[in-house]
Structures are given as structure tokens and as C-alpha cells.
Amino acid sequence: MAPLGDGVAPAAAAAPGLVVSFGEMLIDFVPDVAGVSLAESGGFVKAPGGAPANVACAVSKLGGSSAFVGKFGDDEFGHMLVEILKKNGVNAEGCLFDQHARTALAFVTLKSNGEREFMFYRNPSADMLLTESELNLDLIRRARIFHYGSISLITEPCRSAHVAAMRAAKAGGILCSYDPNVRLPLWPSAQAARDGIMSIWKEADFIKVSDDEVAFLTQGDAHDEKNVLSLWFEGLKLLIVTDGDKGCRYFTKDFKGSVPGYAVNTVDTTGAGDAFVGSLLVNVSKDDSIFNNEAKLREVLQFSNACGAICTTQKGAIPALPSTAAALELISKGSN
């Protein structure tokens, strides 16, 4: 395979287009000691979370232009989260407050290897109550990329708002980016999760899934390419499978391959996928020719792998999001 870039941030010269992230933002309570259950934990660190919000902050931190669309409780946590978005350079025009519902909470167990288990408090939380009529469609139509997950598909009215926002984006020729971010405890059943996630699959222009999500969605081996390609459809521009610290695999209509990851001292994997996606979106927002240029795509994915790796080296997602300089420094040291 051709050598990767020489430590220059991809697409550094172009001005980025706006990336609008849609969905949930919540408070993660993370045990202050890894490797203990929620019941055993003596204390918790409060951290902002929610995959679409993490992506919005990652885009901004890497020099991109980002906005967030979602609903928060009109409570201290909700106002704190919107302030965090603003402090991280994210446009908050699309943020709303609900006077009758709380901001969502999640307690996150950190296993000794940095992997996570979740316990959610959202019954219902404000993010689930966003309605189609409340959408800031003007903001969405200004986007170059509209990014979303699947948690916003679980219940009404948010599901209808999600679909309406996605359709408005598609009608405006805006690129649709999908990272399902499977969170099984939030769905009524595993099959409901598969059906819900796949219900909008073919609306996306590019999709990022983890190896675990490939296994879940296909009910097969994530490393068997036939299973991965069962997720491909005509019209998809790019499918990416992340393989943890091993890196990622990529598939387009014309080429496919893999890019190795980086060995780091992993503390908490929360937000690693979001850092990866944010990095990818920044680069697509500057230059979408990467869908047709394998050398450029590999350079971008090398950068995204570095961003994902760095995010695992400290607790929490948004505080651990990398800068461009930190990612380039890791790249200069070499991959696994």
C-alpha cells in the first residue's frame, strides 16, 4: 500500500463547511476508579456526554465549523451543557430547553480495560421530547454535513423530528453522516434496535460503525467481509468499520482497505469513536473528494485513528478530545 502522509493535517488549506450534529447531550457520571461496578464505586466524575454533542465539539476543536440541534431540560445540568457547547466553539442556535423534563443522565461503568457499561436515566428526558415544529431548519439547511445517531430514533416525538431534519438536509443536497452508536439498554429489545437503526440506513451518504456494531447488526462475524458488505447499498459513498486500537477498514464503490491504529495507554474509551467521526467530518467538510481519492482518504483516516486513540487516554469524552497538534504528534511517532 502507498505510504501515508508526512504528518501534515489533511485538507489544511480549505475553509470548512458547517457540520450540524443532531441528537442527545447528557451528563455522564463516570466512576473515579476504573474496574469497579456502579454499586462498588465510591465516587463519580461528572462529564458532559452524548455522541452527537461529542462529535460537534470534536469538529470545533479540530478547527471545523459546528452546530448542535437538540433539547435540554430547563435545569442546571441542561444550562451547563449548552454553556459547554458554546465554550467549545459550537453554535447553539439549535438548542432548546424543556420546562417539564429533565436533562438525561447516564452512569457509566469503566471496566479495568477502559471499556464501558451504561445505566441511563431518561424517562423521558428532554432530548426525547424535541418535536418537528421546534426544529431550526434554517440552521440545518446551512450545513455542508448533517450528522446523527440512532438514539433519537427510539421514541416519539423525537423520531419524527429526526426524520424531518434528515429529509430537509437531503432535499438541500447536504451530506448525511450516520454513526448508529448502539446503546441496547435504551431500546425495547435487541431486534427493535436492529430494526430502528436499519430503518434510516439507506438515507445516509456515509456511515461509521464499530466492529461490535457490525456483529450486532448482521448477527455475524464482523471480520468476515461478506458480513460487512451486507451493510453496503447502492448510493453509499463511504462505509467505515472501526476496529478499536487496530485501526479501521474502509469501503467505497471503487476501493477498500484498512489503516492501522495507534497503541496508547487506554484509560477510558468514551468518546473515541466520536473523536474519530469529528475528525473525519472536519476533513469531508473541507474536501469531499476523499470519497473518490484513496490516497487522500487514507491520510484522513490515519488522522482520525490518531484522534480516536488520543481520546482514550483520559476520562470523559469532551475533555479528552484531541487538538490537531496532538494528533499530528502521535502520527509522527508511528502506528501500531
Side-chain angles (χ1 to χ4, degrees):
M1 285 186 175
L4 290 171
D6 55 2
V8 175
L18 178 64
V19 178
V20 173
S21 284
F22 175 92
E24 71 285 349
M25 189 177 190
L26 60 152
I27 304 282
D28 285 339
F29 286 96
V30 184
D32 53 8
V33 177
V36 298
S37 69
L38 293 179
E40 292 165 339
S41 180
F44 295 88
V45 177
K46 183 180 69 190
N54 295 342
V55 168
C57 291
V59 167
S60 183
K61 190 158 184 183
L62 292 167
S65 172
S66 72
F68 183 76
V69 174
K71 203 171 195 185
F72 300 79
D74 190 9
D75 51 39
E76 280 200 43
F77 284 154
H79 288 278
M80 180 193 96
L81 290 175
V82 173
E83 280 306 307
I84 287 169
L85 288 174
K86 291 176 181 174
K87 281 178 185 163
N88 280 275
V90 177
N91 177 325
E93 285 174 46
C95 296
L96 298 164
F97 293 97
D98 191 301
Q99 296 187 342
H100 305 292
R102 295 288 191 202
T103 301
L105 308 178
F107 286 83
V108 187
T109 306
L110 282 186
K111 298 181 193 171
S112 53
N113 63 355
E115 287 296 334
R116 304 151 295 159
E117 289 174 354
F118 294 87
M119 186 166 78
F120 292 94
Y121 287 77
R122 48 194 311 269
N123 47 351
S125 54
D127 60 285
M128 300 160 70
L129 302 178
L130 180 68
T131 65
E132 184 177 343
S133 64
E134 292 173 317
L135 287 171
N136 186 332
L137 290 176
D138 289 340
L139 175 63
I140 291 166
R141 289 184 181 118
R142 298 206 306 266
R144 178 114 174 81
I145 300 170
F146 182 62
H147 174 73
Y148 47 86
S150 68
I151 288 173
S152 42
L153 297 171
I154 298 173
T155 53
E156 293 291 359
C158 190
R159 179 185 164 80
S160 291
H162 179 139
V163 171
M166 189 174 62
R167 297 236 160 105
K170 285 191 77 67
I174 294 155
L175 291 168
C176 288
S177 162
Y178 188 21
D179 178 358
N181 247 299
V182 175
R183 296 287 180 264
L184 272 183
L186 295 176
W187 292 87
S189 67
Q191 193 54 47
R194 278 188 206 97
D195 293 345
I197 287 163
M198 298 306 295
S199 70
I200 61 164
W201 196 258
K202 293 187 177 179
E203 304 287 338
D205 292 293
F206 50 106
I207 296 171
K208 172 255 163 191
V209 279
S210 69
D211 50 355
D212 288 344
E213 288 165 342
V214 171
F216 172 71
L217 292 170
T218 67
Q219 296 179 273
D221 180 359
H223 300 284
D224 183 335
E225 200 167 285
K226 280 189 301 187
N227 287 327
V228 176
L229 290 176
S230 73
L231 297 172
W232 181 266
F233 60 89
E234 188 65 35
L236 187 62
K237 293 178 169 64
L238 176 65
L239 174 65
I240 292 177
V241 180
T242 53
D243 291 309
D245 62 2
K246 296 181 192 71
C248 66
R249 290 169 276 164
Y250 58 87
F251 302 84
T252 76
K253 65 181 171 51
D254 297 320
F255 49 79
K256 65 185 180 182
S258 62
V259 179
Y262 294 87
V264 293
N265 181 21
T266 294
V267 173
D268 175 9
T269 59
T270 308
D274 306 325
F276 179 100
V277 170
S279 168
L280 175 65
L281 298 188
V282 167
N283 284 292
V284 174
S285 75
K286 294 174 181 175
D287 180 8
D288 63 10
S289 73
I290 69 165
F291 298 133
N292 308 305
N293 183 321
E294 187 171 11
K296 272 189 190 175
L297 176 62
R298 288 181 61 79
E299 194 177 327
V300 164
L301 293 177
Q302 179 191 47
F303 187 72
S304 295
N305 282 344
C307 288
I310 290 166
C311 193
T312 70
T313 60
Q314 70 182 80
K315 283 186 186 144
I318 292 171
L321 292 171
S323 64
T324 300
L328 293 177
E329 184 183 351
L330 182 58
I331 289 169
S332 72
K333 293 175 181 172
S335 57
N336 280 345

